Amino acid sequence: MAEEEGSTVELRQRKKPKSSENKESAKEEKISDTQIPERTPKYVLFQRFAKIFIGCLAAVTSGMMYALYLSAYHERKFWFSNRQELEREITFQGDSAVYYSYYKDMLKAPSFERGVYELTHNNKTVSLKTINAVQQMSLYPELIASVLYQATGSNEIIEPMYFYIGIVFGLQGIYVTALFVTSWLMSGTWLAGMLTVAWFIINRVDTTRIEYSIPLRENWALPYFACQVAALTGYLKSNLNTYAEVHEVYKIYMFSLFLGYLLQFENPALLVSPLLSLVAALMLTKCLQLNVKKGTFAAKIMKVVNFYLVCTLPVTLNIIIKMFVPHKENEHVLKFLEVKFGLNMTKNFTMNWLLCQESLQTPSQDFFLRLTQSSLLPFYILVLSICLLSVMQVIFRRINGRSLKETVTLEDGRIGERPEIIYHVIHTILLGSLAMVLEGLKYIWTPYVCMLAAFGVCSPELWMTLFKWLRLRTVHPVLLALILSMAVPTIIGLSLWKEFFPRLMTELTELQEFYDPDTVELMTWIKRQAPVAAVFAGSPQLMGAIKLCTGWMVTSLPLYNDDDLLKRNENIYQIYSKRSAEDIYKILTSYKANYLIVEDAICNEVGTMRGCRVKDLLDIANGHVVCEEGDKLTYSKYGRFCHEVKINYSPYVNYFTRVYWNRSYFVYKINTVISFQS
């Protein structure tokens, strides 16, 4: 009887299914009863393989095309192949010149081991100072590039500079490919990857600085960062147990921090970083979680306890770690943030000079206008809003004790339940918050914006989530979501092609010219006339170029992570202040400088942001102008040194002898024997 009743119930369910689940089961049973042709699994496998193959081909092609575009644009901009070695090196400005100079030093070293030793015990760059250049400037890219250049026998095929630039451009191709793959993984269609690449290239003024400063650390680091994000996205997407896989990500973060600690010569800043404390606290909280029956009073108490631990444990751990780990507080960073947010005022030259740097200011309106003109910002806001609201819904469901579905389907319209979506929403909000404070961080956030916006407009699940909220009934929501996920990116792509593609082609056909004869003449004079043991003093940016182009020792470098170098920069910049010849002479000789270079562009600087000229900042720091109401004006009886020294009268000629000049630079030999004859 029991078997007959069971079969009767089964027949009734087949005849009249009352729910969607029953319908699905009925369909599955029908399909199981029907004989499936042998070619069907092969066809499905072939279809999947074709989709993956075409997507991978598109991703790799996009990366290669972008790398080739950068190479062609760089050649057109600088006429690189027609330049001499010195003229090519001058295109590297500021800290970029310093990075590339150490790559040259590695190639000149008799062995790799000797080269590494000389970099880690470097006393030939900055006078009276021995530095670990690998640690202080993160020179691992240059070490790897030099090894590859010599190990692959490229020295017989290609010049060192072209090899170096080629590696960086190749990494940018990998960068674009990783963004393509991430968007593809999230949306399920490689059309999102194509749109990501299009937005990235069109907004490249705000996505990368590769066109202006090739050796920058970010041009080496961001491609690897993008690959990590792509790998993590694939990992989160392929795993269903959210709690377990987040726990695994914490372990990866811990391992990465430990590896970075070792590679950065046991850098204590990584041990006392908030990230380590946060990850360790989350792992401890996870271990302390107990299996309590849901919905009970004990479960609610545990939720409160866990929330309290997540909020307080990271701070507690950070304080404890700082008590036991010897470290040096980055005081100038804390002071910078205080002044940046208006919590304090300062007359300090270094602090105000840093605040005047474009990369450390808040983003301008032009930045948002450019993103809007390319339609990127509006779609990003739409996608982020839908994803964020959906994630918030998931959080409230968890708080109310409602369990989440193990498998989310398109019809559910719950995009916020996907682990990779939660991760990217949190990530983009954090990066965006930082980019709103410091413009230099937009080069991390804007590529993320391209990827997230492209994923959203190409994702049927995102449109379905929106339609679920709107309770759309006139048209079948699933069908409309599928149509929009294809139509919207297609329309965007066509409009971008029509408006921006001609501009990209024009940039490649236009011949630009980088012409700086004064700097070339200066470097040529130094190499021919200055003694090998000479030490040069001047602005940090120019000192970086001298280090690269001539190899001569300098008094300072354009690096801002070392307190001593920051103090040196401030002291050397006094050549543009209203100080006496004797004061300047004492400063320069304290660093064993033999030659002083005065730049006309700094001495007669005009047109920059108000109050941000070097001479203005020096006058404020030295008390020669009124900075705030109530301050006393300190009158200086001396003229501006950079002006007065050009006139060649006593006492300036007693301390300094002009040995070379052109339209942009004035070089003075610092006298060792001082004569006070009038």
Side-chain angles (χ1 to χ4, degrees):
M1 282 293 290
E3 290 179 0
E4 289 177 1
E5 287 176 2
S7 62
T8 305
V9 171
E10 186 177 353
L11 286 171
R12 285 176 183 173
Q13 286 179 345
R14 288 182 181 179
K15 288 179 181 178
K16 191 177 179 181
K18 294 183 179 180
S19 65
S20 60
E21 292 179 2
N22 293 337
K23 287 180 182 179
E24 290 174 5
S25 61
K27 287 179 182 177
E28 288 174 3
E29 288 173 3
K30 258 187 179 181
I31 292 169
S32 62
D33 293 340
T34 308
Q35 194 172 4
I36 302 172
E38 292 183 3
R39 64 178 183 177
T40 301
K42 293 181 180 179
Y43 175 77
V44 172
L45 185 63
F46 174 77
Q47 191 178 26
R48 180 179 293 182
F49 173 78
K51 182 180 178 182
I52 294 174
F53 176 77
I54 294 173
C56 291
L57 184 63
V60 173
T61 302
S62 298
M64 292 178 63
M65 292 298 292
Y66 179 62
L68 292 173
Y69 167 80
L70 287 177
S71 180
Y73 181 79
H74 185 261
E75 174 63 28
R76 287 285 182 176
K77 183 176 180 180
F78 295 108
W79 288 30
F80 222 61
S81 59
N82 297 321
R83 298 285 185 183
Q84 297 179 355
E85 184 70 13
L86 178 59
E87 294 176 307
R88 293 174 186 171
E89 291 178 346
I90 288 174
T91 62
F92 295 142
Q93 301 289 324
D95 51 349
S96 295
V98 180
Y99 296 132
Y100 184 77
S101 71
Y102 287 117
Y103 168 71
K104 284 180 58 179
D105 292 345
M106 282 298 299
L107 295 180
K108 294 176 182 177
S111 65
F112 177 77
E113 293 78 9
R114 183 62 187 175
V116 172
Y117 179 82
E118 290 179 354
L119 291 187
T120 53
H121 302 79
N122 187 279
N123 58 2
K124 298 178 181 179
T125 299
V126 182
S127 61
L128 302 179
K129 188 176 178 67
T130 300
I131 60 175
N132 184 339
V134 178
Q135 176 186 9
Q136 200 157 347
M137 303 175 204
S138 302
L139 294 180
Y140 285 107
E142 282 67 31
L143 297 181
I144 295 172
S146 63
V147 169
L148 290 176
Y149 183 73
Q150 294 174 332
T152 58
S154 300
N155 51 348
E156 300 176 358
I157 305 171
I158 189 172
E159 296 179 36
M161 182 173 288
Y162 277 107
F163 184 83
Y164 184 91
I165 293 174
I167 290 179
V168 181
F169 287 166
L171 285 174
Q172 300 310 300
I174 295 174
Y175 187 15
V176 166
T177 301
L179 293 173
F180 184 111
V181 171
T182 305
S183 189
W184 178 17
L185 286 170
M186 294 175 67
S187 64
T189 171
W190 50 265
L191 186 62
M194 298 293 288
L195 187 56
T196 300
V197 175
W199 264 329
F200 181 91
I201 295 175
I202 289 169
N203 295 282
R204 68 188 186 284
V205 175
D206 302 303
T207 57
T208 179
R209 287 189 283 189
I210 187 68
E211 297 175 6
Y212 308 99
S213 302
I214 293 174
L216 285 180
R217 301 300 85 181
E218 66 195 50
N219 294 332
W220 294 88
L222 288 180
Y224 294 103
F225 171 72
C227 290
Q228 292 170 7
V229 170
L232 186 55
T233 302
Y235 176 75
L236 294 174
K237 184 180 176 66
S238 61
N239 287 271
L240 298 177
N241 191 344
T242 306
Y243 286 104
E245 66 194 20
V246 170
H247 198 61
E248 291 298 321
V249 171
Y250 295 157
K251 293 179 181 178
I252 294 171
Y253 272 118
M254 292 286 285
F255 175 75
S256 300
L257 280 170
F258 179 72
L259 185 63
Y261 170 74
L262 295 178
L263 291 176
Q264 294 184 26
F265 299 87
E266 300 181 0
N267 184 2
L270 291 177
L271 296 182
V272 299
S273 67
L275 177 61
L276 178 62
S277 302
L278 177 62
V279 172
L282 291 173
M283 292 184 71
L284 286 174
T285 305
K286 173 65 179 175
C287 294
L288 293 173
Q289 283 183 349
L290 301 176
N291 292 324
V292 183
K293 189 176 180 181
K294 294 181 179 179
T296 62
F297 178 75
K300 293 179 180 179
I301 293 295
M302 285 305 301
K303 284 184 180 180
V304 175
V305 171
N306 286 333
F307 179 77
Y308 174 77
L309 289 174
V310 169
C311 293
T312 60
L313 199 54
V315 179
T316 306
L317 281 176
N318 192 254
I319 294 173
I320 294 173
I321 292 172
K322 286 183 176 180
M323 290 172 59
F324 291 97
V325 176
H327 67 285
K328 184 180 179 182
E329 289 285 357
N330 238 337
E331 294 183 3
H332 66 276
V333 175
L334 298 176
K335 289 180 180 178
F336 169 81
L337 293 175
E338 288 180 1
V339 178
K340 175 73 178 177
F341 293 113
L343 302 176
N344 200 355
M345 293 289 290
T346 182
K347 296 181 181 179
N348 181 268
F349 169 81
T350 300
M351 196 64 58
N352 288 324
W353 184 80
L354 289 173
L355 285 168
C356 285
Q357 300 304 299
E358 184 179 357
S359 60
L360 298 179
Q361 295 177 3
T362 54
S364 63
Q365 292 182 354
D366 293 339
F367 167 61
F368 299 103
L369 182 62
R370 288 191 297 269
L371 297 188
T372 304
Q373 287 174 341
S374 64
S375 73
L376 174 59
L377 189 59
F379 282 108
Y380 169 75
I381 294 173
L382 173 66
V383 172
L384 179 61
S385 301
I386 295 173
C387 291
L388 180 60
L389 289 174
S390 184
V391 169
M392 295 300 293
Q393 279 186 334
V394 173
I395 294 173
F396 283 122
R397 286 195 189 100
R398 294 292 300 176
I399 292 174
N400 294 330
R402 296 168 60 185
S403 60
L404 303 179
K405 294 187 66 175
E406 290 186 3
T407 305
V408 181
T409 61
L410 177 60
E411 291 82 0
D412 295 327
R414 296 181 182 179
I415 197 169
E417 291 189 9
R418 289 167 51 183
E420 72 273 19
I421 301 300
I422 298 172
Y423 163 73
H424 283 292
V425 166
I426 296 172
H427 215 176
T428 189
I429 290 175
L430 290 175
L431 293 177
S433 302
L434 294 173
M436 294 304 102
V437 177
L438 303 173
E439 186 171 4
L441 294 177
K442 71 179 181 181
Y443 299 106
I444 304 177
W445 179 63
T446 312
Y448 219 96
V449 171
C450 298
M451 179 269 296
L452 200 67
F455 136 74
V457 296
C458 296
S459 173
E461 196 172 349
L462 182 128
W463 294 110
M464 192 63 200
T465 303
L466 178 61
F467 296 153
K468 277 284 186 179
W469 294 338
L470 298 177
R471 297 183 179 179
L472 188 66
R473 300 189 186 279
T474 55
V475 184
H476 197 287
V478 175
L479 179 62
L480 185 58
L482 291 170
I483 293 173
L484 287 179
S485 65
M486 295 292 292
V488 173
T490 302
I491 294 171
I492 294 172
L494 291 174
S495 63
L496 293 177
W497 178 279
K498 181 180 178 180
E499 183 175 355
F500 293 98
F501 184 73
R503 300 184 190 179
L504 295 175
M505 292 298 100
T506 303
E507 289 176 354
L508 290 179
T509 54
E510 282 184 350
L511 287 174
Q512 305 180 42
E513 186 173 8
F514 180 82
Y515 188 61
D516 191 2
D518 292 343
T519 305
V520 172
E521 291 173 6
L522 173 65
M523 300 302 168
T524 303
W525 180 87
I526 292 174
K527 294 173 75 172
R528 292 177 178 175
Q529 302 295 330
V532 177
V535 178
F536 284 83
S539 70
Q541 290 73 22
L542 181 60
M543 295 301 101
I546 289 176
K547 167 68 177 74
L548 168 60
C549 298
T550 68
W552 266 245
M553 193 175 288
V554 295
T555 56
S556 59
L557 289 174
L559 301 171
Y560 314 114
N561 58 353
D562 183 275
D563 292 337
D564 180 61
L565 285 176
L566 286 173
K567 188 62 179 177
R568 281 176 176 245
N569 293 342
E570 180 179 353
N571 290 337
I572 299 299
Y573 266 130
Q574 295 296 326
I575 62 178
Y576 301 103
S577 68
K578 298 177 180 179
R579 301 279 293 270
S580 67
E582 184 179 1
D583 289 345
I584 302 299
Y585 181 82
K586 288 180 179 178
I587 291 172
L588 296 175
T589 53
S590 68
Y591 296 120
K592 302 298 181 182
N594 305 115
Y595 291 89
L596 166 65
I597 303 177
V598 176
E599 298 174 61
D600 197 59
I602 300 178
C603 190
N604 299 314
E605 188 176 4
V606 293
T608 57
M609 187 184 302
R610 184 179 178 184
C612 279
R613 297 183 301 179
V614 169
K615 53 187 179 183
D616 295 336
L617 298 175
L618 289 167
D619 290 344
I620 292 171
N622 296 336
H624 296 153
V625 296
V626 176
C627 179
E628 302 173 41
E629 189 176 348
D631 286 351
K632 293 183 179 180
L633 176 65
T634 303
Y635 174 75
S636 176
K637 62 181 180 179
Y638 305 104
R640 198 167 300 280
F641 175 83
C642 62
H643 289 151
E644 300 298 321
V645 74
K646 295 177 185 177
I647 304 176
N648 286 333
Y649 69 92
S650 183
Y652 295 92
V653 294
N654 303 323
Y655 294 101
F656 307 96
T657 303
R658 188 165 64 189
V659 292
Y660 173 80
W661 71 95
N662 58 30
R663 292 175 300 177
S664 303
Y665 304 102
F666 294 81
V667 183
Y668 297 89
K669 189 177 187 303
I670 301 171
N671 298 332
T672 53
V673 179
I674 303 173
S675 172
F676 286 95
Q677 296 178 356
S678 56

